[in-house]
Amino acid sequence: MANKLRKIVSNELFEWMREIRRTIHQQPELGFREEKTSALISGFLEQLDIKHKTGIAKTGVVGKIIVDKKAPTVALRADMDALPVIESTGLTFSSKTPGVMHACGHDGHVAIMLGAAAILKKNPPDGNAVFIFQPSEESEGGARPMIEEGALKGVDMIFGGHIEPDFNIGEIGIKTGLHTSYTDAFEIRITGKGGHAARPHETIDAVVIASRLVMDLQTIVSRETDPFSPVVITVGYINAGTVHNVIAEKATLKGTIRTIDELTRSQMIDRIRKTASSLSLLHGADIQVVLFPGYPPVINEEKATELARDAAVDLLGEKNVVSIPLPGLGGEDFAYYLHKVPGCFVRLGGARKGAEIVESHSPRFDFDEEVLRVGAAYFSELVRYALKKLRRDGQVRN
Ligand code: NI
């Protein structure tokens, strides 16, 4: 396996990718503000002599290797945004922007995709390759505007991946069909009646209502949903009150709803609204529920998933290709590309041997940079596989 990888990704190319990753890691940028990252990507594509367009969906970049206009086209996608996290990795190339960190490995995704582009440029595939560098996967979602602005034009199949601390370096995790969940967010605003802490009967206590609401939301999950259709309701934010001896008039809760099917999703939204309105009636408080619809689930297409698996087995060996048995309740706006063209989203093992596993979005998140080599080799090979298959299936444009 190691030999095959080294043959596709030379040490020189690996070092080039590592440098890119570290540079981007030092200058993380939040969603739709990835100006420096976008300029860097454009510069590297220029260096590789790959034609590209910038400024798509604000900061997105799309590069293309066109071998033959009538040949099939396979796209790869990398996200490029960072998170509002204060880095504490202690890395020599830590973030230089206070409060912003590449805590989800998107710096690595960009480096991997540029590496794959370099490999495919040097040794062109039997068809066309498109490289989609997308802004804002973590917040409002850059995939949809990228598609609206033509990123998928002429694309027959798409692949993407995410560096994962739960898989070892050299492993690839693949799941056919449903892979991630609906990720809706909500905000609940409670307005009661503030007053003196010693005279609660003269008030409507927003803190007590908020506390009860948090518990009631958990009861919806445990008592009102089918245990075989997973649901998570997490309240990640709660804010109320000013001082110990004043009963709070207002409270705000923010949270997320994770579901894997449309019916359960709409039932959950409905139950949250009903719980809020019944508590409103019970306590005489005004309770507003605002819903922020999130990403739909990633559903990996069967044939594309088979290709993704075959390419992984050939490159890394059967034992390093992990079949993910169940969908996860994370979100990923790669889902939108899969509404338009068949494709597959995979997991790239990033765990450093023997090191403690630190999950993504943590201020201490890091990965073994060997994943850059594995990722670039894998995606370049996968593009070749998919193009061959598409040609065989006769997807040639006239
Ligand atoms: Ni991510």
Side-chain angles (χ1 to χ4, degrees), residues 134-155:
Q134 175 211 304
S136 194
E137 192 281 323
E138 298 284 1
S139 46
E140 303 108 289
R144 222 156 29 157
M146 286 295 284
I147 296 166
E148 282 161 9
E149 293 183 35
L152 282 181
K153 202 165 165 254
V155 170

Side-chain angles (χ1 to χ4, degrees), residues 79 81 83 103-106 109 137-138 162-163 331-332 360-361:
D79 42 14
D81 56 325
L83 284 158
C104 199
H106 299 188
H109 300 166
E137 192 281 323
E138 298 284 1
H162 204 292
I163 297 172
E332 174 52 75
S360 57
H361 293 210

Side-chain angles (χ1 to χ4, degrees), residues 73-84:
T73 301
V74 172
L76 296 174
R77 173 275 211 165
D79 42 14
M80 49 189 209
D81 56 325
L83 284 158

